[in-house]
Amino acid sequence: MFHRPLKWLLLITVINVLFLSCEPTKVTEQRNQQKSYTRLTQLAVPAPIAKQQAFKAEYHGIELSDDYHWLKDQGYPTVDDVPVLDYLTAENQYYAKFIEPNQALVSSLVEEFKGRISDAETSVPWQKNGFEYRWYFRAGEDYKVWVRRPLNSSEEQIILDENLLATDFDYFSLGDIAISPNNQLLAYSYDTDGSERHAVKVLDISSGQEVANRLTNVEGSVLFTKDNTGLIYSLLDDEVWRVKSVNLHTLGHNQSQDRVLFAEEDDAYFLYFYSSSSEEYLIIQSSNSTATESVVFNLDDFTQAPQYLSKRKQNFRLSVDHGNGFFYLLSNDTHTNFKISKVSDTNPSYENWQDFIAGSDDKYLKDLQVFKDFVAVSNSVKGIQSLSIVPNDKPAFDIPLPEKVASVGLNLNPEFNQQHVRIAYESMITPESVYDFDIASKILSIRKTMNIPSGYDKTQYYTERLMAPSRDGVEVPVSIVYKKGFKKDASQPIYLYGYGAYARGMEPTFAPNILSLLDRGFAFAIAHVRGGDEMGYQWYLDGKLTKRQNTFNDFVDVAQFLIDKNYVAKGNISISGRSAGGELMGAVVNQAPELWRSVKLGVPFVDVLNTMLDASLPLTPPEWSEWGNPIKSKTSFEYIKSYSPYDNIEAKAYPPMLVTGGLNDPRVTYWEPAKWTAKLRATKTDQNLLVMRINMGAGHFSNTGRYAQLKDSAEEYAFTLLAHGIKE
């Protein structure tokens, strides 16, 4: 529910399998329920064995034992403990012994992926403050080149070349770019090790020279003041990865002299900022999963006292925008599915809020942006996404969209007075597209569709939205895509993906790499389990805290539904999830290991109990509102322990697994995948493959650069294909 949320990409591993014989449906179903599939077995060389070192702690009179506690370097975030590094290195070497003999398959997949990337891709241009901007890729290069031209000229100027910035680094990630109101300065933030601790440089655009002191320890976002003399940014704590304050930096001064605009003393809240669409207000918000405190500064005059729009004690979530003398407020103060209020910026106290769009049991309000002549609203009804336009002086209406089930949202709309809305649109069979919707004519115009140079015929693929009954009677949406000719006789495999946390719904997007699976006979499905917000905000609430088990049950029940409906046979489903989705993978492989052909756990949050017991970790206190606080509550302790994947590993057979992580990951620390792998290897009773790949120079988002990422993805796809006996 953050304003202008980041679009979460589905980076997924995929598979293929030999087709089984076609028999009458009932006979096939009966036989496939009993069929035993061959497993990808462990290597002939010995796997690394992590030492067991007794560690015990007691909470609420309950003893907690953890023989792999030592894998957390006690000097973290510095990781230099030799036994820890030796173990991670040994696991990487074991992984290399698995992947090296299969480089032909990896190389083939890399070439397939490259064939779906336009070498010379360019963005749709956008206008801002008298200039037209765009970015493009040069053929063969990993990073973007950012250019602009005056609206009265055809001559473009390169203002930032990420390829030059990345030259000296193995890892490079651009955080943010900001242009000063006078169009003369450019500020950008960047990260060179995956720790998400950014530095900030300020350049003179005409000369390309650095003109101000460099900022360090920055979260990422940057914004110029309207008088061009200052820069607003979020400062990270020195010891832990959390924003401790939003600061105002005066160009030419030392960072130590910066003014603190708003400081957050409570570790249980995330702090962030953004500019209103009107560019009149700086909006600073401190929030957790239940409450948002919002304060606004007048961007014309920082000597004025800030105004509070909401206090955390009011205990509701809030997203804010501003335009035409009013604040527009998207909140769940009186309705679970949110409402939009409107209040004058001269007296915006809570008691003056007036309903602009009332809350609805059917329509879930997700986001808004204010323009000079209208408000654009993102919403969904029963998981079907849409966009509405609310003109200042005419009735509201919905934007007509090409497909019923699709991913649709607000794209880059930087000018307050523009008379169109730019839309991001895609579906499981429609490549990523950009549309402009003209408000006056109500015409939707395509501006760009992802080009797939190696070829793509949309008519050869089919997508469905299914509803799978969960064990408690709730129907769970399933988005599925497959190539025409897919036999619904349980003879072909399915790759099933899930997330289910933080109210971040998994959208039915187009993933070009998935074509490598679909063309080999797979179906790809997304289980829209509770914990996301696909079916409204209550869908999220029904998958958090003491209802967390619903998320895992939903995923298993979706798989069983696909088996029952003959989309796939039991044991022939490969699954994948990342981060909180990795936690989902750990939980469902503990619950129903017999269902899965292979499992990929990407930077998996599998050590939930120990992490929530460690208040020194930066992301632990803010997430007690998501998972519960096992330090204070025995009930929370016992409930988390009942499902935490690491704590529920048992001496039984598990399917083949690939586990990934990053040494510098501040979100899911490296020891979570490491501990999971070590304990699982020592406990499981099968001879199936278990490998772990830890990126020793990156963080939560793995390698950077559009081509550099392909090899990692190809290796993950290769693991899944090999798990199904496919070697080419």
Side-chain angles (χ1 to χ4, degrees), residues 370-535:
V370 181
F371 297 84
K372 180 177 179 295
D373 295 322
F374 59 93
V375 177
V377 181
S378 174
N379 33 237
S380 68
V381 176
K382 294 183 179 180
I384 305 301
Q385 300 179 43
S386 59
L387 286 171
S388 301
I389 300 298
V390 187
N392 292 349
D393 55 1
K394 294 178 182 178
F397 60 91
D398 289 342
I399 295 177
L401 299 171
E403 297 164 285
K404 181 179 180 181
V405 179
S407 170
V408 57
L410 297 169
N411 200 300
L412 182 62
N413 291 283
E415 294 233 301
F416 181 62
N417 63 352
Q418 67 186 55
Q419 296 300 305
H420 70 275
V421 174
R422 182 154 293 172
I423 298 168
Y425 181 91
E426 58 191 298
S427 75
M428 296 188 84
I429 60 172
T430 300
E432 185 176 319
S433 304
V434 178
Y435 285 91
D436 281 349
F437 179 76
D438 184 81
I439 303 300
S441 67
K442 297 185 180 180
I443 293 175
L444 188 66
S445 303
I446 186 71
R447 295 297 309 274
K448 178 186 177 182
T449 298
M450 176 191 294
N451 179 39
I452 301 177
S454 60
Y456 172 68
D457 181 358
K458 177 179 176 178
T459 66
Q460 295 304 303
Y461 301 87
Y462 188 74
T463 183
E464 295 181 79
R465 171 64 63 90
L466 310 173
M467 299 302 290
S470 188
R471 64 196 67 179
D472 62 0
V474 172
E475 290 197 322
V476 181
V478 186
S479 296
I480 188 167
V481 62
Y482 45 82
K483 195 167 186 177
K484 287 189 175 178
F486 180 85
K487 303 178 185 67
K488 298 177 186 177
D489 62 359
S491 67
Q492 296 176 234
I494 280 182
Y495 186 81
L496 183 62
Y497 186 85
Y499 186 74
Y502 304 113
R504 290 194 171 123
M506 292 293 98
E507 299 185 358
T509 55
F510 182 84
N513 290 350
I514 289 294
L515 296 175
S516 293
L517 300 182
L518 305 186
D519 291 347
R520 289 177 169 93
F522 279 84
F524 169 62
I526 303 170
H528 300 287
V529 297
R530 281 172 282 188
D533 68 347
E534 290 94 329
M535 296 292 282

Side-chain angles (χ1 to χ4, degrees), residues 649-720:
I649 292 173
E650 296 177 339
K652 61 186 179 184
Y654 284 86
M657 288 188 217
L658 168 61
V659 187
T660 68
L663 189 67
N664 301 326
D665 189 344
R667 298 172 185 262
V668 178
T669 49
Y670 75 87
W671 60 81
E672 296 218 22
K675 288 173 63 178
W676 166 266
T677 303
K679 184 177 180 180
L680 187 65
R681 201 186 298 286
T683 308
K684 69 191 185 80
T685 61
D686 59 85
Q687 298 299 310
N688 298 326
L689 183 69
L690 171 61
V691 287
M692 179 174 71
R693 184 188 70 201
I694 296 290
N695 192 319
M696 304 297 278
H700 198 64
F701 302 106
S702 192
N703 287 322
T704 56
R706 60 175 179 159
Y707 293 111
Q709 293 173 344
L710 296 184
K711 186 173 184 294
D712 281 354
S713 296
E715 289 180 359
E716 294 167 13
Y717 276 52
F719 163 80
T720 307

Side-chain angles (χ1 to χ4, degrees), residues 335-339 360-365 536-538:
H335 200 286
T336 303
N337 270 345
F338 289 74
K339 70 174 185 182
S360 166
D361 292 341
D362 297 322
K363 180 172 285 190
Y364 172 40
L365 303 175
Y537 203 68
Q538 188 64 47

